[in-house]
Amino acid sequence: MELSLVETPTPVVELDIVEANLRRMQDYCDRAGIALRPHIKTHKIPALAHRQIELGARGITCQKLGEAEVMADAGIDDILISYPLVGVGKALRLAGLAQRATMRVSLDNRVALETVAEAGRIAGREIGVLVEFDSGNGRTGVTSIDEVLELARAAREMAGVRFDGLMNYPVNARTGEILRDLLPKMESEGLKPGIISGGGTPNAFRTHEMAPITELRVGTYIYNDRMTVAAGHASWDDCAYAVHVTVISRPRPDLAIIDAGSKVFSSDAMPPGTGDGHGYFPAYAGAKLVKMSEEHGMVDVSACGGEAPKVGERLRVIPNHVCPVSNLFDRLIFTKGGAFQTFMPIAARGRSQ
């Protein structure tokens, strides 16, 4: 099939770039002596998860039970859920997963610990837990060393769970400071963590400099996006994922309308000072996707001069943040060397539970 015949809007992934991105990260982890546990929330495709494992990844990371169930159905048998699970329903589903895969769960409170313990008792096998600590992100994670120790002690004593270590996101200088204070206290109580799991693509290649991380969770690196380029992690040539769109209207000389709006692109904005709009147009660097309705994208082309795109022209758009955009489509197109290869279902998309 000719790629130009595929209707827009549609996401297109270049496999040659994907392969280069995967090898680059795996090579870094191998050199640094860090186990790689990629986060599949970016691609949500079992075939890509299997390729990550083939190249040397320890296992995978999922954010939701629904993602983990899809991956376990595809034969992946080592999964970390990096999100606290709370409630009976979650315990029952986790128990089902634990009967067919090695499961670990991160958490930061006693209720989530009891949920995992209940799942372990139902499954008849221990489930590993990682205690998450916050290093300034202001999301999940305990905020004191005493809380880490308290949860680790509880996990050590509770039936159905096994204390496996610690988790943090994102890895930064503060992560290292916390661990320098925390680890001696844990070791003095016989709670030495077997795993210290850290995450975050933008600073991934500096992980070994910032903290004694033993396992790295990264997701965006497989595709890259406008944010990873702005952070200096990648170049535009490292961006494997682009949404193909069509210009459907030119109502004014300074405005182009594309056939993709908020149902295609995430509302995620770039960090201050790193760029405006909701995506980058490789063929028209001056164009800015400044506004969206559900099905329309309003592109300011005033900086393109006489080279602005015309009605009917197809454009590539690299999203600001690829992970939520990936989740908005049922399938994408794989290309190799720019040539159409196949349609690929995004099997774990839309798994909100």
Side-chain angles (χ1 to χ4, degrees), residues 22 25 35 70-71 91 93 104 113 149 253 256 262 268 271 285 298 300 330:
L22 296 185
M25 187 64 72
V70 169
M71 295 295 156
R93 292 170 65 193
R104 293 183 180 87
L113 178 61
L149 294 170
S262 62
D268 286 12
M298 294 68 152
D300 180 349
D330 290 325

Side-chain angles (χ1 to χ4, degrees), residues 138-153:
R139 203 168 64 178
T140 49
V142 298
T143 57
S144 73
I145 286 175
D146 286 344
E147 290 174 290
V148 173
L149 294 170
E150 181 182 349
L151 276 173
R153 293 186 201 111

Side-chain angles (χ1 to χ4, degrees), residues 248-325:
I248 59 169
S249 177
R250 285 295 311 277
R252 300 195 310 263
D254 64 340
L255 183 65
I257 310 299
I258 58 174
D259 59 348
S262 62
K263 290 182 178 178
V264 168
F265 293 105
S266 148
S267 61
D268 286 12
M270 295 293 290
T274 62
D276 300 324
H278 297 281
Y280 174 74
F281 296 80
Y284 295 95
K288 296 178 182 179
L289 179 53
V290 293
K291 183 180 178 182
M292 298 182 292
S293 58
E294 290 181 66
E295 310 291 353
H296 301 76
M298 294 68 152
V299 183
D300 180 349
V301 295
S302 58
C304 298
E307 301 299 320
K310 301 173 177 59
V311 173
E313 188 171 344
R314 292 170 66 106
L315 307 175
R316 294 172 63 246
V317 189
I318 297 174
N320 287 356
H321 185 194
V322 69
C323 303
V325 176

